[in-house]
């Protein structure tokens, strides 16, 4: 059975930067085990599968090792594929996923994700976490991910964590973040426990980062940069209990999988 796929770089206007995702538009769902095998075969941070349900789309995301409940960059990539490749009409796409209702709109040349906020709670700074990250930690917050606030952008860029030890920490992964030099804040995201040593640009972590930095900086409009090796810029806005995360996407390749 042939299946068409598209690989799209999200949160960038240039190929080979931002965060790559593979997108499949299916007529009906494949078996969960098969979708996991396909994601492992592509070996990208995320492979997204979308199936139409009336006026909406059901969306699921798989890393090479596991299904995840929410993914920003692969949703952006999926919207780009639906709008630009499959020529879906209108300016808005509505999605349903494990985390509830999501939408993506086209605004001023960008795709804008509408995601729920993720509120974190204060957690203690431990010597073990500082040892794992190899950096001084200013503050820690805990939710689905562990978020460590570092002293500076330079510290975030210099972070070389012990990935084996980091994978044993609670949560899906660890966000490191700090005030930015040319941006309001910067971040990186490590999730070896779900098959992603470092994610290039992560929309879903900004569900927690945006409320945190909006409160700390006293502003609702924020410009963020994820300073991985590939890097990516995110235009962010806090809107009550929702976050708006805007960026661009670029088609890199298309092909057919035979199963």
């Amino acid at each position: 059975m042939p299946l068409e796929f598209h690989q799209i770089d999200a949160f960038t206007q240039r190929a080979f930067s931002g965060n790559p995702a593979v997108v499949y538009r299916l007529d009906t769902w494949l078996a969960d085990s098969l979708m996991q095998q396909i994601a492992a075969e592509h070996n990208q941070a995320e492979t997204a599968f979308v199936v139409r349900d009336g006026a909406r789309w059901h969306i699921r995301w798989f890393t090479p090792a596991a299904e995840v409940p929410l993914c920003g960059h692969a949703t952006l990539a999926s919207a780009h594929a639906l709008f630009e490749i499959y020529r879906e009409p209108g300016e808005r796409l509505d999605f349903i996923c494990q985390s509830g209702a999501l939408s993506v709109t086209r605004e001023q040349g960008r795709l804008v994700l509408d995601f729920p906020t993720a509120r974190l709670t204060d957690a203690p700074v431990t010597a073990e976490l500082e040892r794992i990250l190899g950096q001084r930690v200013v503050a820690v917050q805990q939710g689905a991910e562990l978020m460590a606030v570092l002293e500076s952008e330079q510290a975030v860029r210099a972070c070389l964590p012990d990935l084996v030890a980091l994978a044993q920490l609670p949560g899906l992964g660890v966000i490191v973040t700090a005030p930015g030099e040319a941006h309001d804040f910067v971040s990186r995201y490590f999730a070896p426990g779900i098959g992603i040593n470092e994610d290039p640009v992560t929309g879903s972590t900004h569900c927690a980062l945006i409320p945190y930095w909006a409160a700390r900086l006293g502003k609702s409009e924020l410009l963020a940069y994820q300073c991985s090796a590939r890097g990516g810029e995110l235009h962010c806005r806090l809107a009550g209990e929702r976050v708006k995360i805007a960026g661009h996407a670029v088609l890199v390749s298309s092909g057919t999988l035979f199963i």
Side-chain angles (χ1 to χ4, degrees):
M1 177 175 65
L3 295 174
E4 184 177 77
F5 66 86
H6 307 282
Q7 184 168 320
I8 293 164
D9 288 345
F11 294 114
T12 183
Q13 296 185 73
R14 296 181 296 106
F16 315 125
S17 60
N19 201 352
V22 175
V23 179
Y24 283 85
R25 188 192 68 165
L26 304 174
D27 293 326
T28 58
W29 290 113
L30 304 172
D32 290 5
S33 59
L34 179 55
M35 289 190 286
Q36 185 62 73
Q37 286 178 307
I38 291 170
E41 182 72 15
H42 285 296
N43 200 31
Q44 298 297 331
E46 302 286 349
T47 297
F49 300 88
V50 295
V51 174
R52 188 190 295 276
D53 180 8
R56 302 184 300 183
W57 296 86
H58 281 267
I59 186 166
R60 296 173 69 181
W61 310 274
F62 290 79
T63 76
E67 184 174 7
V68 295
L70 186 65
C71 178
H73 87 276
T75 304
L76 198 80
S78 298
H80 181 83
L82 292 172
F83 277 135
E84 303 300 331
I85 299 168
Y86 296 107
R87 300 301 178 188
E88 284 296 310
E91 300 299 318
R92 173 177 168 137
L93 295 167
D94 289 291
F95 295 95
I96 293 294
C97 70
Q98 290 183 24
S99 299
L102 314 171
S103 69
V104 182
T105 56
R106 291 192 283 198
E107 298 177 14
Q108 299 177 340
R110 298 191 192 104
L111 293 171
V112 183
L113 303 172
D114 183 331
F115 275 19
T117 57
R119 302 286 180 171
L120 306 182
T121 56
D122 291 336
V125 175
T126 65
E128 177 66 4
L129 179 60
E130 292 188 318
R131 184 197 68 77
I132 290 170
L133 296 178
Q135 298 290 336
R136 179 175 178 271
V137 177
V138 175
V140 175
Q141 295 213 320
Q142 177 71 62
E145 281 90 15
L146 191 71
M147 186 172 81
V149 182
L150 307 186
E151 292 180 300
S152 65
E153 178 173 326
Q154 182 180 2
V156 170
R157 290 180 178 273
C159 187
L160 291 172
D162 177 341
L163 293 174
V164 174
L166 188 147
Q168 305 307 310
L169 295 174
L172 294 174
V174 174
I175 308 163
V176 295
T177 186
E181 296 170 4
H183 298 79
D184 291 301
F185 66 91
V186 297
S187 68
R188 291 171 69 191
Y189 180 54
F190 306 95
I194 57 171
I196 306 169
N197 285 345
E198 180 173 3
D199 198 32
V201 192
T202 317
S204 61
T205 57
H206 287 73
C207 295
L209 286 161
I210 293 167
Y212 176 84
W213 287 107
R216 179 163 163 176
L217 300 176
K219 57 195 295 189
S220 60
E221 301 271 353
L222 300 155
L223 185 60
Y225 187 74
Q226 193 155 332
C227 46
S228 64
R230 291 174 65 103
E233 190 171 71
L234 306 93
H235 299 257
C236 308
R237 179 163 59 90
L238 181 64
E241 293 304 309
R242 307 290 292 185
V243 291
K244 311 286 188 176
I245 308 167
H248 296 89
V250 179
L251 175 66
V252 174
S253 67
S254 297
T256 304
L257 179 77
F258 297 95
I259 56 174

